Amino acid sequence: MRTAIRQRLRVATALLTLPALARAQEFPRQQVRLILPFAPGTGSDAIARIVAHETRNRLPHPIVVENRPGGGGITGTEQGARAAPDGHTLTLGTTSTFLVNPALNPRAGYTFERDFAPVVGVGRSFYVVVTANTAAAPKTLGELIERLRQPGAHGTFASSGAGTITHLASEIVLHKAGVTGTHVPYRGSGAAMADIIGGQVLFGSDSLAATLPLIRGGQLRALAMTSPTRFAGLPDVPTLIESGMPGTVIDAWFGIGAPIATPAPIVAQLSEVILAAITSEEAKPRFEALGVDLLALGPAGFAQFVRESGVFWRGFLQASGIRIEF
């Protein structure tokens, strides 16, 4: 009797998994959208386009990047969370969109744990504190901080949006230095960097993808790297640690999620394809040029990584007292 019951249970379980397996075998039936909740020209945009390019020959239909900026990344991330859970919509998220924004903004209508199925942990990168490359702009991070210490100083700093790591990185620098500044959020890194170059804003912190061409082109001056060691592409730029901020390292990670109810076989298929693409010999130098360290984590590893990162960021935000106006 017990043997017969166990056999029936196995048959029932197999039948229940058939629809999901069938959908995985048919997948994808059309192009896959990769929602990017930031404007073109950001570091996240560059990473999303590497993923799309490197998977072009690995799926019967391409992955297509859709830029959906707004609300510091909340707008596009919400759209990704609410998309049909059929695997044809993915979202490229970051530390800020998957963790910081939901923690600080009660209007964010999602959380990573509740609304997303982890697909791939792509990589992490560090930031550059920059100002205009002009005679009037600060020459070093120390000079920037001293300027902000002056009575009546109203130093401004730009970001690609409230709550993004481009915002928080500057907030952390100000907090560590014991000075304040006025945040000026933009809808993307391009506009933020343009106003720093033009002198309308004093400084900012952004990814190597967004800043390196402008630094090498002589339009921006790099004051410090947020990495633990100097970046090989900018060997003369000191780290925050070398600039008098011991132990200060600021990074941002990037990963891909699917709507939470996406069938597990489809999530597994997407993860396998994307992991193979981003770790290919063709892709590695493209990530290195952006200063991105590959994580290459599958669904379980990425979920654990986000949990551990969340403990750090929520603890830091609470201890530092940093508040963000969205």
Side-chain angles (χ1 to χ4, degrees):
M1 176 66 72
R2 290 180 181 176
T3 301
I5 291 173
R6 284 196 295 268
Q7 289 175 338
R8 291 192 192 101
L9 286 172
R10 282 197 293 268
V11 170
T13 301
L15 289 173
L16 286 171
T17 60
L18 282 176
L21 291 171
R23 285 192 295 271
Q25 290 169 354
E26 297 168 1
F27 178 83
R29 300 182 301 277
Q30 61 196 46
Q31 68 182 28
V32 176
R33 295 190 304 157
L34 179 57
I35 292 178
L36 178 70
F38 299 108
T42 59
S44 302
D45 182 73
I47 289 168
R49 294 184 189 282
I50 293 175
V51 171
H53 179 78
E54 297 300 333
T55 55
R56 69 196 186 282
N57 296 324
R58 298 173 186 270
L59 289 168
H61 297 281
I63 291 177
V64 179
V65 178
E66 286 191 11
N67 296 88
R68 298 289 182 87
I74 290 175
T75 302
T77 308
E78 281 185 331
Q79 292 173 354
R82 305 290 172 254
D86 58 6
H88 291 95
T89 302
L90 301 174
T91 303
L92 181 73
T94 65
T95 316
S96 60
T97 59
F98 278 159
L99 278 182
V100 175
N101 287 352
L104 293 178
N105 189 350
R107 296 194 299 273
Y110 66 90
T111 66
F112 181 79
E113 295 85 353
R114 184 190 68 213
D115 297 301
F116 285 97
V119 178
V120 169
V122 178
R124 66 175 190 162
S125 67
F126 301 95
Y127 283 69
V128 196
V129 183
V130 294
T131 189
N133 188 24
T134 62
K139 305 296 189 297
T140 65
L141 183 66
E143 186 178 325
L144 169 66
I145 292 168
E146 284 306 312
R147 186 174 299 190
L148 293 171
R149 288 192 201 281
Q150 298 303 311
H154 296 288
T156 53
F157 66 96
S159 79
S160 62
T164 64
I165 300 301
T166 65
H167 176 191
L168 287 177
S170 293
E171 290 278 13
I172 292 170
V173 170
L174 295 172
H175 178 75
K176 292 282 187 177
V179 297
T180 60
T182 301
H183 178 221
V184 183
Y186 290 81
R187 288 175 61 88
S189 296
M193 294 302 104
D195 273 8
I196 293 173
I197 291 168
Q200 288 89 351
V201 183
L202 180 58
F203 77 102
S205 304
D206 215 314
S207 66
L208 285 162
T211 60
L212 194 56
L214 299 171
I215 294 168
R216 289 176 171 166
Q219 296 165 285
L220 287 176
R221 176 179 296 138
L223 301 179
M225 289 291 306
T226 71
S227 50
T229 59
R230 294 194 183 198
F231 173 57
L234 295 171
D236 297 327
V237 180
T239 65
L240 292 175
I241 296 170
E242 294 175 299
S243 302
M245 296 184 180
T248 305
V249 175
I250 307 165
D251 68 351
W253 50 258
F254 309 85
I256 295 173
I260 190 65
T262 304
I266 289 178
V267 170
Q269 181 180 346
L270 284 165
S271 181
E272 182 180 354
V273 167
I274 296 172
L275 283 172
I278 65 175
T279 56
S280 68
E281 291 305 312
E282 182 182 353
K284 285 179 181 178
R286 300 186 67 188
F287 284 114
E288 289 172 2
L290 296 175
V292 174
D293 295 336
L294 281 177
L295 292 172
L297 298 172
F302 184 35
Q304 179 64 23
F305 180 85
V306 173
R307 283 193 293 271
E308 293 172 357
S309 181
V311 170
F312 166 78
W313 278 103
R314 293 182 186 110
F316 172 79
L317 292 168
Q318 183 176 9
S320 66
I322 291 174
R323 297 291 180 266
I324 297 176
E325 296 295 330
F326 287 87

